[in-house]
Amino acid sequence: MEALVLKSLVKLRKACTRNHRELRELIGATQAKVTFKSQEGTLEVPFEPFLLACLTRYAKLVVVALDCMEKFLAFGFLKEAWKIPKGVRRRLGQKSTAVLSQTGRRSGLGSGNGSSAWPSANRDTIDEKDDNEDTYRLIDCIVEVACDCNDHPDEGVQIQVLRVLLTAVTTPTCEVHEYALLKAVRACYHVHLVSKSATNRMVAKATLQQLISIVFQRMETFDQRVEEETKITLQVSLEKQQQEQQNQQEEERKERDQEERQY
């Protein structure tokens, strides 16, 4: 795992330009941290540089970052309980602030009595994510960041978005549910609608079909498991009732025997 992570970080660093100084510094620090953690035997894949690279919207960086994350997911390097890096959480919060502010200006709520509504709403949104930190997992963050790139005009970015989403949904180490799953389906549909590449549209359609097929397969598997568990529970309950009835009958028989002996 260490070799793949370091190779991916080198690849990501080469894709950086002079304008990405902070990202290059983060990659350098991450490389040193990976080497140190590997020697200790506590290495975890550092997703932070790759997620932040996607947020730059620079096509070359986004393609490399998505490709590397897809490989990490395919090899099962992401575990269910991993938390979102603080740097990524902060950037997502800043992005939410910018989106809300821009929406407020467009709707004419950026002045007057409406000016104070947007910061409050944004704080509520961020606080809600902080409160739901246990339910908002790293895999959800990866899916969200990948989906946010679905409107990128670069065809290479579009195809990598589809690859990441398909791998994220199918990986056995982490499952995608609820809002993240809906967003993945919507992103595939969006790429199919807006892409100018016939190949990308075909891949988006196939990816969407696979996602829906996987969801229904999991639903059927879940229904079967619930049905089996229900049968087992009913069987155990029935056996328990029968045992209680037998015990009660045995006690009644003993009581009758004692009464007969007394007489």
Side-chain angles (χ1 to χ4, degrees):
M1 180 171 68
E2 177 191 3
L4 179 60
V5 172
L6 290 175
K7 183 179 179 181
S8 301
L9 289 171
V10 170
K11 190 176 179 181
L12 187 66
R13 186 183 180 90
K14 288 181 179 179
C16 294
T17 65
R18 294 181 179 179
N19 296 329
H20 304 118
R21 181 175 58 85
E22 293 183 5
L23 182 58
R24 283 189 283 112
E25 292 176 354
L26 175 61
I27 294 172
T30 305
Q31 288 174 320
K33 186 177 180 180
V34 167
T35 303
F36 178 75
K37 290 289 186 180
S38 178
Q39 293 174 354
E40 288 188 338
T42 58
L43 176 61
E44 293 183 357
V45 176
F47 281 89
E48 182 174 2
F50 303 96
L51 290 170
L52 293 178
C54 292
L55 295 177
T56 63
R57 302 285 295 181
Y58 180 61
K60 189 175 180 180
L61 265 177
V62 175
V63 169
V64 173
L66 290 175
D67 179 62
C68 293
M69 287 196 296
E70 191 273 335
K71 288 184 173 64
F72 296 154
L73 294 174
F75 283 108
F77 291 162
L78 176 62
K79 304 303 179 184
E80 186 79 24
W82 285 9
K83 296 183 179 180
I84 304 172
K86 293 182 179 179
V88 177
R89 182 177 289 275
R90 183 175 62 254
R91 287 291 298 273
L92 290 176
Q94 293 172 354
K95 182 180 177 182
S96 299
T97 304
V99 171
L100 288 173
S101 300
Q102 186 177 7
T103 306
R105 287 195 297 269
R106 288 179 179 177
S107 59
L109 296 176
S111 59
N113 295 332
S115 60
S116 61
W118 285 111
S120 175
N122 181 58
R123 282 195 301 270
D124 294 341
T125 303
I126 297 175
D127 291 342
E128 183 178 354
K129 275 195 174 182
D130 291 338
D131 294 338
N132 297 332
E133 185 175 355
D134 294 336
T135 58
Y136 189 68
R137 306 161 302 160
L138 180 56
I139 184 66
D140 298 326
C141 179
I142 292 172
V143 171
E144 180 178 348
V145 170
C147 290
D148 288 342
C149 300
N150 65 354
D151 59 346
H152 202 289
D154 187 83
E155 296 179 1
V157 172
Q158 295 172 0
I159 203 72
Q160 290 298 336
V161 167
L162 297 173
R163 289 183 58 198
V164 168
L165 295 180
L166 180 60
T167 305
V169 174
T170 57
T171 181
T173 56
C174 284
E175 294 184 352
V176 179
H177 298 292
E178 298 178 356
Y179 176 74
L181 180 59
L182 292 175
K183 197 162 187 178
V185 172
R186 189 186 307 167
C188 295
Y189 184 68
H190 184 76
V191 172
H192 178 69
L193 288 179
V194 304
S195 179
K196 297 180 180 179
S197 169
T199 302
N200 285 7
R201 290 197 299 270
M202 182 175 62
V203 173
K205 181 179 179 180
T207 303
L208 183 58
Q209 290 174 339
Q210 285 182 275
L211 292 183
I212 295 175
S213 176
I214 290 169
V215 170
F216 276 96
Q217 287 177 5
R218 289 179 177 175
M219 287 174 57
E220 293 174 356
T221 303
F222 179 77
D223 289 341
Q224 291 177 358
R225 186 169 68 248
V226 170
E227 185 177 355
E228 292 175 357
E229 291 176 354
T230 303
K231 288 181 179 179
I232 294 174
T233 303
L234 291 175
Q235 183 67 25
V236 171
S237 177
L238 181 60
E239 292 177 355
K240 185 178 180 180
Q241 290 179 358
Q242 291 176 349
Q243 185 65 34
E244 290 178 353
Q245 290 177 357
Q246 291 177 359
N247 293 337
Q248 186 177 2
Q249 291 175 358
E250 183 68 21
E251 291 178 358
E252 292 177 354
R253 187 183 63 80
K254 290 181 179 180
E255 290 178 358
R256 287 197 302 268
D257 292 343
Q258 289 179 356
E259 291 177 356
E260 290 177 356
R261 289 174 184 175
Q262 290 177 357
Y263 289 111

